[in-house]
Amino acid sequence: MSVYENMISSFDNCNVQSYLNLLHKDYNFIRHKCGQKLTKEDWTPTVTGMFNAMSEGKLRFEENRCIYENDDILVMHGIGHFPDGTKEAIMSVHILSNGKIIKTESGATRID
């Protein structure tokens, strides 16, 4: 199963551990608004909160699609519906290393 398919499965099943298993031990998430780097340890509480919100129906991602994936990179696009009622188009670029995500950068555009 591809990294993309595993990621979507973790979202569909609200399985945060499955998602975290996709992340390399040296993972970094780069916040698109400020450029702040988060390690896997830093990112875990945020993503756990996101999965909790998904399981409660407060957060959802739809129209997810894989733009491109190979052994080095995964590019995804989807729509996020957030607890505050906002909706964003999200482009995510995941750098891969040995079948794991080692770095993620994303960009989001608010949709009205």
Side-chain angles (χ1 to χ4, degrees), residues 30-95:
I30 312 300
R31 292 191 183 274
H32 68 274
K33 289 186 180 180
C34 63
Q36 176 188 22
K37 281 187 183 181
L38 301 175
T39 65
K40 183 175 180 178
E41 184 178 331
D42 297 333
W43 179 237
T44 296
T46 300
V47 80
T48 299
M50 290 171 55
F51 274 80
N52 289 341
M54 286 190 295
S55 70
E56 296 168 1
K58 296 177 181 175
L59 171 66
R60 74 180 195 281
F61 297 99
E62 63 182 21
E63 299 181 40
N64 292 305
R65 63 184 192 268
C66 176
I67 304 298
Y68 183 79
E69 181 175 12
N70 66 20
D71 290 340
D72 301 315
I73 193 166
L74 165 60
V75 181
M76 297 172 51
H77 187 271
I79 306 296
H81 296 263
F82 297 94
D84 64 0
T86 59
K87 183 167 73 167
E88 294 180 351
I90 304 165
M91 177 74 71
S92 302
V93 177
H94 307 278
I95 305 302

